[in-house]
Amino acid sequence: MKPFPRSLLYCALLLFSDYAHATYHLRAGGPLITAQSYAQTRHNAQPVLRTLNPTKTDSECRSRPLDLVFIIDSSRSVRPAEFEKVRIFLANMVDTLDVGSDATRVAVVNYASTVKIQFLLKDHFNKPDLKKAIARIEPLATGTMTGLAIRTAMKEAFTEPSGARPRFRNISKVAIIVTDGRPQDQVEEVSAEARAAGVEIYAVGVDRADMRSLQLMASLPLEDHVFYVETYGVIEKLTSKFRETLCGLDPCSMGHDCGHICINSNASYYCKCRDSYVLNADKKTCSLKEVRAEVVEDPCLCEARLAFQKQTQAAIQLLTAKLADIAERIEHLENMLGRA
């Protein structure tokens, strides 16, 4: 029996080979982190963000450098005891910041029917002086000219002569507006101008504040920039939220549950996979992409080999027959010579 040609075996292996499929999960490298709000995770197509618990990271939190301007409503609707709560909120906020000439600079714009700049970004570069200046702030009078206050902040507080850093320094400019009423002037246009100029606006509404006006003023996404509290008595609870927002944390370095790659996103993070892997439904672990090995059959190659084999076999058979004929002739000659 003739041996099975290797070339045919090769072709058969090519024709009957199938694809390989392997899947595995990598364990998370850190503790589980609680999920963020529903508003941030409701879109399945976007990466899931996770928020670190600020109570567990106080000692490791350092605010990023900011040019920060508080714009506070001190109209008559804000009673003296309530305005004291505002002062406490501002003082607590100062305590959470890394204040300094090369760190965060703070200014306060006070408004009612008129606007008063209490102090500028260039005035105080340490916490004690800032807190003393805050303690001296007094409420103004009637009226709620919020639009005028924003415009004044842009023209007189967020300027280089007033202590704002130049644009090439890439220092974030942030305004935090605190109000308990409905603006008596237009806020949409001036807020849009401020945002277009690079100011990130947070709007804090208290008690009777108009939610629509807060949304018109604030930066996007609104769920991260609009806050509401029922009374001034609980406004200081927002301190931890702003601390988390303004903090320069590196969440990935503090522990994460990503299987492959952790991507920082402000005070949060989300997971990505290395090349050739896909993120699983848990948004943490990764699986190898399904690879289908496509067999590209080359009929010409196999046919050519078969034709060559046939020709070779025919040639061998012909040669064998000729050799047998020659051997027969030699034997015949030898017999004739022996008889002679």
Side-chain angles (χ1 to χ4, degrees):
M1 180 177 177
K2 296 180 180 179
F4 192 76
R6 290 185 179 181
S7 58
L8 290 179
L9 178 61
Y10 172 78
C11 291
L13 289 173
L14 284 177
L15 292 173
F16 292 103
S17 65
D18 201 353
Y19 67 90
H21 178 219
T23 302
Y24 65 90
H25 300 277
L26 294 177
R27 283 182 172 268
L32 285 175
I33 308 298
T34 57
Q36 264 188 331
S37 65
Y38 169 77
Q40 291 170 305
T41 59
R42 62 181 182 267
H43 300 296
N44 294 330
Q46 296 180 359
V48 174
L49 297 176
R50 297 170 178 82
T51 300
L52 297 173
N53 185 345
T55 61
K56 296 182 180 180
T57 59
D58 283 351
S59 62
E60 302 177 59
C61 178
R62 182 180 183 185
S63 68
R64 53 195 167 101
L66 305 170
D67 285 338
L68 175 60
V69 177
F70 291 97
I71 303 175
I72 58 172
D73 176 1
S74 67
S75 58
R76 186 170 296 176
S77 61
V78 184
R79 300 177 180 86
E82 294 173 333
F83 194 74
E84 177 61 23
K85 294 291 185 181
V86 175
R87 282 193 286 252
I88 293 173
F89 167 67
L90 295 180
N92 288 343
M93 284 293 298
V94 167
D95 280 334
T96 69
L97 300 170
D98 182 24
V99 175
S101 60
D102 294 322
T104 292
R105 301 181 181 184
V106 179
V108 173
V109 175
N110 188 7
Y111 78 95
S113 59
T114 59
V115 179
K116 180 180 180 180
I117 296 182
Q118 297 293 154
F119 52 86
L120 296 169
L121 295 169
K122 66 180 181 180
D123 290 343
H124 306 294
F125 294 142
N126 62 73
K127 294 183 181 182
D129 288 347
L130 272 173
K131 293 168 79 170
K132 288 178 183 177
I134 289 170
R136 291 192 295 266
I137 300 175
E138 296 292 338
L140 296 177
T142 59
T144 310
M145 302 296 287
T146 310
L148 177 62
I150 296 172
R151 191 174 299 280
T152 301
M154 292 302 299
K155 289 184 176 180
E156 300 183 32
F158 283 114
T159 62
E160 290 185 36
S162 297
R165 267 71 63 95
R167 185 181 294 272
F168 71 85
R169 293 280 302 276
N170 293 320
I171 303 297
S172 299
K173 292 177 170 44
V174 176
I176 298 178
I177 303 170
V178 181
T179 180
D180 74 338
R182 182 189 298 271
Q184 295 176 335
D185 56 355
Q186 297 298 316
V187 297
E188 182 174 9
E189 183 178 345
V190 67
S191 299
E193 292 174 357
R195 295 192 300 268
V199 177
E200 184 177 13
I201 301 178
Y202 293 86
V204 178
V206 184
D207 193 11
R208 301 170 297 275
D210 178 57
M211 182 58 67
R212 177 59 179 160
S213 298
L214 298 177
Q215 294 171 342
L216 290 175
M217 293 186 289
S219 298
L220 297 176
L222 294 180
E223 59 262 33
D224 292 340
H225 293 85
V226 176
F227 303 95
Y228 174 81
V229 291
E230 293 182 352
T231 67
Y232 280 101
V234 295
I235 190 173
E236 56 193 274
K237 292 184 178 180
L238 289 176
T239 304
S240 61
K241 177 60 182 175
F242 276 113
R243 187 178 196 283
E244 178 185 343
T245 301
L246 303 178
C247 187
L249 288 173
D250 181 2
C252 290
S253 68
M254 300 179 65
H256 62 84
D257 52 358
C258 295
H260 281 190
I261 303 170
C262 178
I263 305 295
N264 286 320
S265 179
N266 294 325
S268 306
Y269 71 89
Y270 61 92
C271 303
K272 286 185 66 176
C273 297
R274 295 191 290 267
D275 291 343
S276 301
Y277 292 82
V278 293
L279 197 64
N280 293 324
D282 61 7
K283 302 299 181 182
K284 296 180 293 184
T285 58
C286 300
S287 297
L288 190 66
K289 288 181 180 178
E290 183 179 282
V291 179
R292 186 176 296 273
E294 297 291 340
V295 177
V296 180
E297 182 181 350
D298 188 349
C300 296
L301 180 60
C302 290
E303 288 180 5
R305 287 182 177 179
L306 290 173
F308 174 75
Q309 288 175 349
K310 289 180 180 180
Q311 291 175 359
T312 303
Q313 291 173 354
I316 291 173
Q317 290 174 356
L318 179 60
L319 181 60
T320 302
K322 288 183 177 181
L323 289 173
D325 182 62
I326 292 172
E328 186 178 350
R329 288 173 181 270
I330 291 174
E331 184 180 0
H332 178 69
L333 287 173
E334 286 177 346
N335 291 333
M336 289 179 64
L337 291 172
R339 286 195 298 268

